[in-house]
Amino acid sequence: MIQNYKITIAYDGSRYHGFEAKPDVDTIQGRIENVLSRMTDTRVMTVGAGRTDAGVHARAMVISCKLDTDMSEDDIMDYMNTYLPEDIGVIDVKVAGERFHARFSAVGKVYLYTCYVGKEKPVFDRKYVWCLDKVPDVKLMRRAAEHLVGEHDFKSFCGNKNFKKSTVKKIFDIEIMRKNDYLYLRFHGKGFLQNMVRILTGTLLEVGYGNISPDAMEDILKAGARTAAGPTAPAKGLCLMKVEY
């Protein structure tokens, strides 16, 4: 029986060439499709809620796909977790409505970027944080973030210079929090451009270092040029936390 499924997965993206399936390289989506194809003995194609970059992690990426199987939701999850590598895990499998689409049905996403500002080496977190050389001024970063909340043209924060679609996106809120030796930047928006969260992070940190004025965010947005914004933060500090429907 063919049904539409919503599958939620978590993964450590450290050793993968991103989420999206590509020929001749190891990706999250490619691994998942191989396991599902073997499970159903048919070629399974999946749709992801997004396309995380190489090295980016996820606690709750959502995919949708049509599966021809009589297996229960729990059995599908058990099968996938048995044959997927240990750095990819399925945390939920549900039969979805016929029109559910992991990408087009999404109404919001939450990303978390983690920086480390402590003196000791974060040995056990080294693959999931960006170690900063100095502590940025969080108050300045929060002031700058206020200019970014809302609907804007984020072309200056897009890593794909050949991007042809609209670069207008809506950010619902940005939280910047310091907890002990960790600095967290939480981005909640309707959708994000390629590298957008990482460029936002790099730019906000430049504000925190005093290299960019908080009020300069408006000029950066108006510039519509990648060169106007700050550097792109490393992929390893970024994690997709949630997809909203």
Side-chain angles (χ1 to χ4, degrees), residues 73-140:
E73 296 163 336
D74 287 342
D75 287 342
I76 293 172
M77 184 166 69
D78 289 344
Y79 183 96
M80 294 181 72
N81 280 327
T82 297
Y83 291 102
L84 283 169
E86 61 185 3
D87 49 8
I88 304 175
V90 178
I91 56 180
D92 190 52
V93 175
K94 288 286 187 292
V95 174
E98 189 66 25
R99 300 181 65 181
F100 175 77
H101 189 283
R103 181 183 173 192
F104 297 137
S105 299
V107 297
K109 294 176 185 175
V110 177
Y111 281 93
L112 186 70
Y113 197 97
T114 304
C115 301
Y116 181 78
V117 294
K119 294 182 179 180
E120 297 179 1
K121 284 186 176 181
V123 175
F124 299 106
D125 289 340
R126 67 191 185 282
K127 295 191 294 183
Y128 314 106
V129 300
W130 183 13
C131 295
L132 305 181
D133 295 330
K134 51 186 175 180
V135 181
D137 187 323
V138 173
K139 290 183 180 179
L140 289 178

Side-chain angles (χ1 to χ4, degrees), residues 148 152-158 167 203 215-230:
L148 300 170
H152 304 285
D153 187 339
F154 285 96
K155 187 175 182 179
S156 294
F157 297 92
C158 180
T167 49
T203 304
D215 296 331
M217 292 302 104
E218 293 188 10
D219 291 334
I220 293 174
L221 287 168
K222 291 177 182 177
R226 173 66 188 91
T227 53

Side-chain angles (χ1 to χ4, degrees), residues 28-39:
I28 308 295
Q29 188 177 36
R31 290 279 187 150
I32 292 169
E33 289 181 351
N34 286 340
V35 168
L36 289 174
S37 296
R38 180 166 60 175
M39 184 187 79

Side-chain angles (χ1 to χ4, degrees), residues 149-165:
V149 173
E151 188 172 82
H152 304 285
D153 187 339
F154 285 96
K155 187 175 182 179
S156 294
F157 297 92
C158 180
N160 184 355
K161 64 181 180 180
N162 298 317
F163 193 73
K164 303 298 183 183
K165 299 180 181 179

